[in-house]
Amino acid sequence: EYMGTIFPPERSMSLSRAVEWLNRNEIVCLDLSLANIDDGQAQTLATALATNTSLERLNLSLNHIKDQGAQALATSILMHPRLHELVLEGNEIGDDGAVALAACLGTKLRSLNLKGNYVNSVGASQLICNLEQRREFVSSLDLSENVVPGELLNYIRSLLIGRTGAKRSRNDVMNDETTQIKCKYIHL
């Protein structure tokens, strides 16, 4: 059975095609960055995630996902057996979405990237609360470029020190030998 990554060559790839791949449980990594996904489409994706059992990494960066979409994703992630990395960088997620995603941090998600959203102290505080309780299960939490005070960002960094080891870029992770075996590139 093929285990791969979907990297759409055209950013107009239909969400229905991605949902089809999720429903077949044939992928472990899905990159839908810059796919113009909004809250309604995020809810469609969340519905597909609820029945998927293979996905481990999901990249939804640089879309138009707001709180409602993040809440729908969080609900599905809590039921998902394997998803451990979620990238939501550069969306429009605020505190309500961050609070919903906080429930997933450390219980399901080991890595959560919310860089460049609209999270402020309320959402950051809930994420920190969950990070404090489950930090041994969290490898990364990125809240940079939000409306989060510097002292809270520094506190998050201090909680994660010693947990993540050497920092690795996304390209390093995707080029890791074991990852390459599971994450091949599919052009739709």
Side-chain angles (χ1 to χ4, degrees), residues 109-166:
L109 295 176
R110 293 191 315 246
S111 177
L112 176 59
N113 182 336
L114 287 170
K115 178 180 179 179
N117 279 277
Y118 301 130
V119 179
N120 67 41
S121 297
V122 174
S125 295
Q126 188 61 53
L127 286 159
I128 288 171
C129 181
N130 286 21
L131 180 58
E132 288 172 331
Q133 295 171 10
R134 304 180 194 118
R135 66 180 168 195
E136 65 272 13
F137 302 108
V138 178
S139 61
S140 68
L141 171 61
D142 190 346
L143 286 175
S144 61
E145 298 179 26
N146 278 282
V147 193
V148 177
E151 62 269 8
L152 289 180
L153 292 176
N154 289 335
Y155 184 59
I156 290 169
R157 284 186 200 101
S158 72
L159 289 172
L160 292 172
I161 288 178
R163 298 282 173 214
T164 59

Side-chain angles (χ1 to χ4, degrees), residues 2 6 11 13 25 27 29 31 65 69 80-81 90 103 109-111 126 138 152 154 160-161 163 166 170 180 184:
Y2 184 82
I6 296 178
R11 293 302 172 192
M13 180 190 84
N25 287 306
I27 56 172
C29 307
D31 184 348
I65 300 170
H80 199 281
L109 295 176
R110 293 191 315 246
S111 177
Q126 188 61 53
V138 178
L152 289 180
N154 289 335
L160 292 172
I161 288 178
R163 298 282 173 214
R170 179 172 175 260
Q180 285 240 2
K184 297 182 181 176

Side-chain angles (χ1 to χ4, degrees), residues 28-121:
V28 293
C29 307
L30 179 59
D31 184 348
L32 291 172
S33 57
L34 289 166
N36 291 315
I37 294 173
D38 60 19
D39 277 346
Q41 293 166 319
Q43 289 174 356
T44 299
L45 193 58
T47 300
L49 278 175
T51 59
N52 176 276
T53 58
S54 65
L55 196 66
E56 295 177 10
R57 297 182 184 119
L58 178 58
N59 183 353
L60 295 170
S61 61
L62 304 170
N63 281 292
H64 306 286
I65 300 170
K66 298 178 182 172
D67 288 334
Q68 192 174 21
Q71 290 166 332
L73 289 167
T75 299
S76 290
I77 290 167
L78 285 171
M79 297 182 293
H80 199 281
R82 296 180 69 182
L83 188 67
H84 61 83
E85 181 179 332
L86 180 62
V87 180
L88 289 165
E89 179 178 342
N91 278 281
E92 302 166 29
I93 299 167
D95 285 329
D96 291 340
V99 168
L101 290 165
C104 304
L105 191 64
T107 57
K108 294 293 183 169
L109 295 176
R110 293 191 315 246
S111 177
L112 176 59
N113 182 336
L114 287 170
K115 178 180 179 179
N117 279 277
Y118 301 130
V119 179
N120 67 41
S121 297

